[in-house]
């Protein structure tokens, strides 16, 4: 979804990302690289994922993703563009 914030004179959009484990074994972490296109509304506008600089990874409370399972995280950004994200590594 997207909306206009008349107080800040800014357009925001909310995104949801689902990662599905197609491996026959449990994923213990994944590392997703992003860049400055991930322009978060504020530091609280990202959930279900750990953010360290320009790298996203599973949060401590989600230690793994089982085979054939999915994991979803979300965020709110300034603008309506699709942020660039690339899975850089998967550990299992």
């Amino acid at each position: 979804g997207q909306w206009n914030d008349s107080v800040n004179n800014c357009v925001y959009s909310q995104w949801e990302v689902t990662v599905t484990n197609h491996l026959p074994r449990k994923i213990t972490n994944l590392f997703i690289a992003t860049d400055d296109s991930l322009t978060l509304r504020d530091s609280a506008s990202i959930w279900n994922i750990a953010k360290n600089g320009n790298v996203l990874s599973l949060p401590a409370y989600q230690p793994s993703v089982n085979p054939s399972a999915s994991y979803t995280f979300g965020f709110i950004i300034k603008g309506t563009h699709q942020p660039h994200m690339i899975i850089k590594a998967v550990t299992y």
Side-chain angles (χ1 to χ4, degrees), residues 53-67:
N54 285 341
V55 177
L56 308 176
S57 59
L58 291 177
Y61 58 81
Q62 180 67 39
S64 62
V65 180
N66 289 326

Side-chain angles (χ1 to χ4, degrees), residues 62-84:
Q62 180 67 39
S64 62
V65 180
N66 289 326
S68 302
S70 296
Y71 185 73
T72 301
F73 64 95
F75 50 87
I76 297 171
I77 60 168
K78 297 174 187 174
T80 59
H81 60 280
Q82 181 175 343
H84 302 128

